[in-house]
Amino acid sequence: EETINMRITITYLVVCLFSIGINAQDDVIGKPYLTNQSFDMLTKSISEYEIFEVDIKRTNFNISSKSPFLNLTLGEQIFQLNLYQDNLKTSFESNDKPLLLGGSLKKGGTVSLTINDNFIYGFIKQGSSQLFIEPLRNFEKGVADNLFVVYYAHNVIENNDHVCGVEKTKDKTESFNQLKALTTQCKLMDLAIANTYDMVTAEGSVTNVINHNLAILNNVQT
């Protein structure tokens, strides 16, 4: 009788652990950032937006085929995402390389997210609406690294001095579509990226420049 009970207990524990594993998911939680500070460049670039505090570390995420789920919480909005890694293929190895994620919402749509320490950049597209998230420092210099701006593409103000994530994604997509039009077959293309030092100055570090460049290409790939 003791042996039978022990076997039942072990089986039950294994089932519980397996259930936890297949239901495991990562979370990104954005807290609304309330401030009286004015953001002139941001206001000139986007008509409506929200700013969130997001404390994020790349090592906290374990996106895989067995654990593809991520909840993105932005205030009262919760987006349930189904993601996979290496949406954009890269050939270099680095401990600072971001997670290049693609996928969808559980209810459909399209998702592109690039995640690293203090960095999240990408979009969520449902039907005709496209929600973008990018670091606030892309607009306003000197702000904290954990502040991010969230906005819809249709609220971008065109013909201003700042180029936001929507416009950069659009420009690069058009460039690659021109190359794509030259052939009807799939091609493997080597792509090298060079930046002048003012890009490092603007982004704050070499890692931030890598994050920025790969995030845009990840959007274009998606």
Side-chain angles (χ1 to χ4, degrees):
E1 183 177 351
E2 290 180 359
T3 303
I4 293 174
N5 287 337
M6 185 179 293
R7 285 176 178 171
I8 292 173
T9 303
I10 291 173
T11 303
Y12 175 73
L13 286 172
V14 170
V15 170
C16 285
L17 289 171
F18 179 73
S19 298
I20 291 171
I22 62 174
N23 293 317
Q25 59 189 22
D26 295 318
D27 293 281
V28 176
I29 299 176
K31 300 177 183 178
Y33 180 67
L34 304 177
T35 179
N36 294 324
Q37 182 180 358
S38 60
F39 297 113
D40 295 336
M41 183 58 72
L42 180 59
T43 303
K44 290 178 182 178
S45 304
I46 302 172
S47 59
E48 293 184 30
Y49 57 84
E50 291 183 273
I51 298 173
F52 293 93
E53 281 186 86
V54 185
D55 294 314
I56 187 167
K57 287 184 69 66
R58 179 173 57 90
T59 54
N60 289 344
F61 296 90
N62 186 33
I63 301 296
S64 66
S65 59
K66 294 182 179 179
S67 180
F69 304 116
L70 184 148
N71 282 340
L72 174 61
T73 301
L74 299 172
E76 296 182 355
Q77 295 189 86
I78 300 177
F79 300 94
Q80 295 180 306
L81 310 181
N82 191 338
L83 302 172
Y84 54 85
Q85 289 202 48
D86 298 325
N87 181 51
L88 178 71
K89 299 290 186 180
T90 59
S91 59
F92 75 96
E93 293 299 327
S94 169
N95 292 331
D96 295 329
K97 188 167 68 174
L99 295 175
L100 300 164
L101 306 172
S104 64
L105 294 146
K106 282 192 175 180
K107 296 181 179 180
T110 307
V111 177
S112 171
L113 280 183
T114 301
I115 291 176
N116 211 337
D117 295 348
N118 292 319
F119 185 86
I120 182 168
Y121 188 115
F123 64 80
I124 297 172
K125 187 173 183 180
Q126 293 178 282
S128 60
S129 70
Q130 193 168 19
L131 186 72
F132 271 76
I133 181 170
E134 63 179 293
L136 179 59
R137 65 172 181 263
N138 286 358
F139 298 86
E140 304 288 342
K141 303 309 174 187
V143 299
D145 286 341
N146 69 337
L147 295 181
F148 297 84
V149 59
V150 175
Y151 59 94
Y152 283 97
H154 62 261
N155 287 325
V156 171
I157 301 172
E158 297 182 0
N159 300 320
N160 66 79
D161 295 333
H162 182 85
V163 181
C164 66
V166 170
E167 295 166 306
K168 289 182 179 179
T169 298
K170 180 181 177 182
D171 289 343
K172 295 299 181 182
T173 302
E174 289 175 351
S175 298
F176 280 100
N177 279 340
Q178 290 175 4
L179 293 173
K180 182 180 176 183
L182 298 176
T183 179
T184 57
Q185 299 177 343
C186 290
K187 295 267 186 178
L188 182 63
M189 179 177 64
D190 287 329
L191 176 67
I193 302 174
N195 292 105
T196 53
Y197 192 75
D198 58 351
M199 187 71 174
V200 179
T201 303
E203 293 295 327
S205 71
V206 172
T207 297
N208 287 346
V209 174
I210 293 172
N211 289 339
H212 179 87
N213 289 341
L214 292 182
I216 293 173
L217 288 179
N218 195 31
N219 282 1
V220 171
Q221 169 69 12
T222 304

